Structures are given as C-alpha cells and as structure tokens.
C-alpha cells in the first residue's frame, strides 16, 4: 500500500463567491488545454477547453484564462455553488491527437 | 445513453492473482483510454486505442499489464500477477474522433482495485 500521498491543494470558498483555480504547466509545446471536474466516487468530467492561440474562453459560469508567457492556466467559477465541490484537474495535450496529460488537481470546498 | 460502463466496480484480490477489468465504451466512439488514479501519482494514462488498435501503450507500467480491445464495444485491462502496488482506481474513457483539435473524453465510474 501507499504510506505517502499527494497533498492536494485545497481551495475553500463561500457559496456565492467566485472561485479561481490555478494550474501551472511545464511543456511550452502544449497546444491545447482542458479542465476536468471529478466529484467524489466518480470519473472526471469535461468542463471547458482552450486552444493555445487563445487567452480566454468563457462557458456557462466558467472562464478559462491562459497565460503562455508564464505557462499558467486558471479556471474561474462564478457564483460558486455546493455542487461545484470537487477536485479540478487541468490537462494539456502535449502531442498526439487525443492523448492528454493530467495535472495533480485542486480540491474545491464550497462552504454553505 | 448509459455512458461508459466498467465492471466490476470494486475488486479485492490477493497478491499473485490475475485481475481482469472490463470496459464498454459509448457506442460510436472511436477512442478508448485506460487510466490509473492513485494518491501518489495522480491520474495516469496507461494505454489508448483508436478503432480497436492500440496507439500508445507507453504508460503501461510493466509486462504484468496487458490490454485488449477485441471489438468496438469491449475492452479489457488485465494484471497478471497482481501486486499490492497495483491498488488504485482504474478508469476507462472513450471519445469520438472528429476534426481538430480535441474531443472530450467521457469517463466511466472506475474500478477500485485492492490487492492484499
């Protein structure tokens, strides 16, 4: 078994506030980035994606920002709700049509 | 659509035993992926198939692991012999192959494997 595990960074926010989840990537050749959400006991679920030639993309209540200069990606969730509580992963496509590499994840806790 | 189906949902076995995990992708999807998730290493891609053909198996840990996709609606991931360090949640995912750049992967509920 495992005695030491990854320490997931945790973000705690009040219900109704905005959340910002950050992700650093390392490969400057990555051409595509994706955010996934994983609720407890479930598989990851696609949220939003962005091409490397874009800086910003908006979805329903979510916005992804990409800063290629510092290799940084963020996910903004507006008016955070209890149902947003989950682990959020950023993923990058380093090469290959469908293969992506996932980051370590951030746990979002919404305080009612 | 029922989504990606995985079985069993939980598996407890003893070291040295053979373990077979099963996956049924979403009908019509061309790509199938096997991932492993642990606290130590996060979510790792093990192997993926396109039209039943393995494309990249560079993530398969060692020869004890093997994956097959005999047809478009079924895939297996086999571990023989299993070891305690194989304990993890194994996810299967599928996606469509359409034009650039990327299609979201739909994940199954996972199989939690415990090797004693």
């Amino acid at each position: 078994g495992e005695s030491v595990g990854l320490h997931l960074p945790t973000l705690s926010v009040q219900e109704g506030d905005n959340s910002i989840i950050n992700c650093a990537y390392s490969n400057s050749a990555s051409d595509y980035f994706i955010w996934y959400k994983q609720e407890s006991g479930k598989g990851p679920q696609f949220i939003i994606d962005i091409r490397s030639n874009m800086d910003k993309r908006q979805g329903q209540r979510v916005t992804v920002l990409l800063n290629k200069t510092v290799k940084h990606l963020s996910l903004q969730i507006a008016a955070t709700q209890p149902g947003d509580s989950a682990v959020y992963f950023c993923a990058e496509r380093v090469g290959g049509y469908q293969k992506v590499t996932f980051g370590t994840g951030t746990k979002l806790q919404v305080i009612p | 659509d029922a989504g990606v189906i995985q079985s069993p949902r939980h598996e407890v076995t003893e070291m040295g035993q053979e373990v077979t995990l099963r996956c049924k992708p979403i009908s019509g999807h061309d790509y199938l992926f096997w991932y492993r998730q642990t606290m130590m290493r996060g979510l790792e891609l093990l192997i993926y198939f396109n039209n039943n053909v393995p494309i990249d198996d560079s993530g398969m840990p060692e020869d004890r692991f093997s994956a097959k996709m005999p047809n478009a609606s079924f895939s297996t991931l086999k571990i023989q012999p299993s070891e305690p360090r194989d304990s993890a949640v194994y996810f299967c995912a599928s996606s469509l192959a359409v034009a650039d750049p990327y299609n979201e992967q739909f994940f199954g509920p996972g199989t939690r494997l415990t090797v004693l």
Side-chain angles (χ1 to χ4, degrees), chain A residues 23-28 65-74:
Chain A
C23 175
Y25 65 94
S26 58
N27 196 324
S28 57
L65 299 177
L66 176 62
N67 185 331
K68 294 182 291 295
T69 303
V70 295
K71 296 180 188 169
H72 184 266
L73 196 66
S74 69

Side-chain angles (χ1 to χ4, degrees), chain A residues 4 6 36 38 93 97 99, chain B residues 37 39-40 56 98 101-102:
Chain A
V4 178
L6 284 171
Y36 278 84
Q38 186 176 22
R93 187 176 72 175
Y97 180 64
K99 181 178 180 179
Chain B
Q37 187 174 40
M39 286 300 295
M40 281 290 290
D56 186 340
V98 293
Y102 174 81

Side-chain angles (χ1 to χ4, degrees), chain B residues 60-89:
Chain B
M60 295 287 263
E62 48 198 273
D63 292 346
R64 298 184 298 107
F65 286 69
S66 63
K68 294 182 179 180
M69 192 165 186
N71 57 63
S73 59
F74 183 67
S75 177
T76 59
L77 178 68
K78 185 175 294 185
I79 308 173
Q80 166 62 18
S82 58
E83 297 182 1
R85 61 194 169 116
D86 301 331
S87 297
V89 180

Side-chain angles (χ1 to χ4, degrees), chain A residues 1-2 4-6 8 32 34 36 38 41-46 49 51 89 93 96-100 102-103, chain B residues 9 31 33 35 37-40 42-43 45 48 56 58 91 95-96 98-105 107-108:
Chain A
E2 300 160 355
V4 178
L6 284 171
L8 279 181
Y32 200 76
I34 313 103
Y36 278 84
Q38 186 176 22
K42 297 183 179 180
Q45 181 180 14
F46 174 91
D49 54 13
R51 296 172 185 255
F89 294 93
R93 187 176 72 175
Y97 180 64
Q98 286 288 333
K99 181 178 180 179
V100 296
F102 284 80
Chain B
R9 293 294 310 276
Y31 283 84
F33 306 80
Y35 289 88
Q37 187 174 40
T38 62
M39 286 300 295
M40 281 290 290
L43 193 62
L45 176 65
Y48 76 97
D56 186 340
S58 59
F91 289 103
S95 70
L96 280 168
V98 293
D100 176 74
Y102 174 81
N103 265 300
E104 68 175 281
Q105 296 179 22
F107 282 76

Side-chain angles (χ1 to χ4, degrees), chain A residues 31-91:
Chain A
D31 64 346
Y32 200 76
F33 303 89
I34 313 103
W35 281 99
Y36 278 84
K37 170 187 180 183
Q38 186 176 22
E39 297 176 5
S40 181
K42 297 183 179 180
Q45 181 180 14
F46 174 91
I47 302 174
I48 192 169
D49 54 13
I50 188 168
R51 296 172 185 255
S52 61
N53 62 356
M54 300 171 65
D55 298 322
K56 179 180 180 180
R57 190 171 186 206
Q58 288 185 297
Q60 186 177 13
R61 278 202 311 120
V62 294
T63 301
V64 56
L65 299 177
L66 176 62
N67 185 331
K68 294 182 291 295
T69 303
V70 295
K71 296 180 188 169
H72 184 266
L73 196 66
S74 69
L75 177 71
Q76 300 179 359
I77 304 174
T80 312
Q81 302 168 0
D84 295 327
S85 294
V87 176
Y88 289 80
F89 294 93
C90 65

